[in-house]
């Protein structure tokens, strides 16, 4: 298990059990909606409200522990801060798959931003489409 307590403290947040539980769930599933996180965390903390989970997630996004992944036409999902990667987002089932950056994408982004004298600080590349599983379901 990762050291979520240290991660929270380094980001200026108190390491509460709720927050550590939220991080553990997201780490297990990769990308999760607030509702899914709430359902998972409520199994161990039945007294927890959706509003509290929501507030904690937003706070952890603001403090750079979590990243919001917008899903076209659906509710956002959240993931732990990781190395830069590309998302393949299925607009049918909402599945999000992580793909590593390639040398070419990094070069492209740097050339593009340098040419514009734009100081690149954060980046998220989301590609929206239909995953293989949903394509098969559509065809049948
Ligand atoms: Zn899909
Ligand atoms: Zn991701």
């Amino acid at each position: 298990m990762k050291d979520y307590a240290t991660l929270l403290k380094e980001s200026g947040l108190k390491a509460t059990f709720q927050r550590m539980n939220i991080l553990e769930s997201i780490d297990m599933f990769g990308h999760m909606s607030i509702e899914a996180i709430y359902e998972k965390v409520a199994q161990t903390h039945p007294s927890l409200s959706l509003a509290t989970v929501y507030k904690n997630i937003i706070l952890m996004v603001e403090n750079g522990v979590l990243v919001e992944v917008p899903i076209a036409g659906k509710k956002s999902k959240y993931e732990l801060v990781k190395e830069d990667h590309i998302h393949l987002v299925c607009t049918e089932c909402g599945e999000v798959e992580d793909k590593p950056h390639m040398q070419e994408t990094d070069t492209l982004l740097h050339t593009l931003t340098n040419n514009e004298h734009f100081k690149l600080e954060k980046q998220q590349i989301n590609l929206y489409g239909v995953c293989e599983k949903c394509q098969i379901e559509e065809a049948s």
Side-chain angles (χ1 to χ4, degrees):
M1 199 174 109
K2 280 190 200 149
D3 190 357
Y4 303 116
T6 306
L7 180 66
L8 286 164
K9 281 179 202 149
E10 281 174 357
S11 310
L13 292 170
K14 255 209 211 147
T16 63
F17 278 110
Q18 293 170 15
R19 287 178 192 153
M20 291 201 281
N21 253 285
I22 291 172
L23 293 179
E24 202 185 337
S25 303
I26 297 175
D27 204 8
M28 208 187 311
F29 290 90
H31 311 83
M32 289 174 99
S33 67
I34 289 185
E35 283 72 17
I37 296 163
Y38 169 68
E39 273 173 36
K40 189 84 190 61
V41 176
Q43 287 171 6
T44 24
H45 301 278
S47 60
L48 212 60
S49 72
L50 179 61
T52 308
V53 171
Y54 184 81
K55 259 191 273 171
N56 273 308
I57 289 169
I58 299 306
L59 191 68
M60 288 194 279
V61 170
E62 285 170 358
N63 284 268
V65 180
L66 295 177
V67 178
E68 181 177 358
V69 183
I71 315 284
K74 294 192 195 311
K75 283 182 180 155
S76 294
K77 288 194 172 179
Y78 296 83
E79 71 175 343
L80 297 183
V81 169
K82 302 175 218 170
E83 240 175 64
D84 286 340
H85 57 277
I86 297 171
H87 284 137
L88 299 184
V89 183
C90 178
T91 51
E92 297 288 320
C93 66
E95 250 326 288
V96 182
E97 208 186 318
D98 284 348
K99 290 283 166 206
H101 262 233
M102 288 167 285
Q103 184 66 53
E104 291 92 324
T105 37
D106 285 334
T107 310
L108 175 75
L109 291 175
H110 282 112
T111 312
L112 187 79
T113 48
N114 281 343
N115 288 349
E116 299 292 329
H117 303 289
F118 183 83
K119 191 165 156 276
L120 184 65
E121 286 171 347
K122 255 194 239 178
Q123 47 134 314
Q124 187 181 100
I125 304 177
N126 298 324
L127 305 178
Y128 296 91
V130 183
C131 75
E132 196 178 10
K133 203 177 113 247
C134 291
Q135 287 179 49
I136 294 166
E137 275 168 24
E138 264 174 17
S140 62

